[in-house]
Amino acid sequence: MGVVKLSQSFKTQVTPGRMFRALILDSHNLCPKLMFSSIKSIEFVEGNGEAGSIKQMNFTEASPLKYVKLRIDEMDKEKFTCKYTFIEVEGLMDTIESITYDVKFEPYGYTGCVCKMTSEYKTKGDVEIKEEDIEHGKDRAIGMYEVVEAYLLAHPHAYE
């Protein structure tokens, strides 16, 4: 089994609490509204958002994937951290054992934060992950964060 680990971060002008509440706690409501051309819906298959819950993200016909399922492994609402694992990804589970994301929102400046994300890809057997596949996933994650940031900047009282 191979393991590829990546870290990325970006700065935002939104407080850690607002980013965490919008992107992590309420993503099932907010993301389909903001990203309606690619995300059809996000539903809880098990649980209600706490550790152990399972979410299914359903994509529109415009997406190459139909859906993904993820399990929330850890959630700390006070420290603004979350860890989750993709447990079902259409077309990838033959080669990927798991994909885990560890997300943290830390204060930056007076009203901003740094969003830090570490992703770990564990492959089955001798499978190697292509750099461009990882970059594509990374770009999609950052894109979601940027869309939510823009929404929060345009709606300064949302998720206070």
Side-chain angles (χ1 to χ4, degrees), residues 71-107:
R71 179 188 61 240
I72 300 170
D73 300 315
E74 299 172 18
M75 176 82 67
D76 190 325
K77 296 175 185 176
E78 293 176 16
K79 293 182 180 176
F80 309 125
T81 63
C82 179
K83 184 175 184 178
Y84 57 93
T85 302
F86 284 93
I87 57 172
E88 201 171 313
V89 180
E90 182 185 31
L92 284 181
M93 299 318 285
D94 295 344
T95 57
I96 302 287
E97 184 75 34
S98 65
I99 304 170
T100 302
Y101 285 89
D102 197 349
V103 182
K104 298 176 183 176
F105 298 90
E106 298 177 349

Side-chain angles (χ1 to χ4, degrees), residues 43-133:
E43 304 159 355
F44 286 103
V45 177
E46 291 179 26
N48 60 0
E50 299 298 323
S53 296
I54 296 176
K55 281 186 188 180
Q56 179 170 315
M57 186 180 303
N58 300 301
F59 299 103
T60 65
E61 292 76 27
S63 175
L65 297 176
K66 186 175 178 181
Y67 72 92
V68 296
K69 285 186 183 177
L70 60 94
R71 179 188 61 240
I72 300 170
D73 300 315
E74 299 172 18
M75 176 82 67
D76 190 325
K77 296 175 185 176
E78 293 176 16
K79 293 182 180 176
F80 309 125
T81 63
C82 179
K83 184 175 184 178
Y84 57 93
T85 302
F86 284 93
I87 57 172
E88 201 171 313
V89 180
E90 182 185 31
L92 284 181
M93 299 318 285
D94 295 344
T95 57
I96 302 287
E97 184 75 34
S98 65
I99 304 170
T100 302
Y101 285 89
D102 197 349
V103 182
K104 298 176 183 176
F105 298 90
E106 298 177 349
Y108 177 77
Y110 180 66
T111 60
C113 75
V114 177
C115 302
K116 295 181 177 181
M117 185 178 354
T118 302
S119 52
E120 184 175 278
Y121 297 77
K122 292 183 182 175
T123 61
K124 292 180 178 178
D126 295 335
V127 174
E128 288 189 31
I129 299 174
K130 296 177 188 171
E131 183 81 23
E132 59 264 20
D133 292 339

Side-chain angles (χ1 to χ4, degrees), residues 129-148:
I129 299 174
K130 296 177 188 171
E131 183 81 23
E132 59 264 20
D133 292 339
I134 292 173
E135 286 298 319
H136 181 69
K138 188 167 112 175
D139 291 346
R140 287 185 74 123
I142 294 294
M144 283 181 69
Y145 284 39
E146 290 172 340
V147 168
V148 171

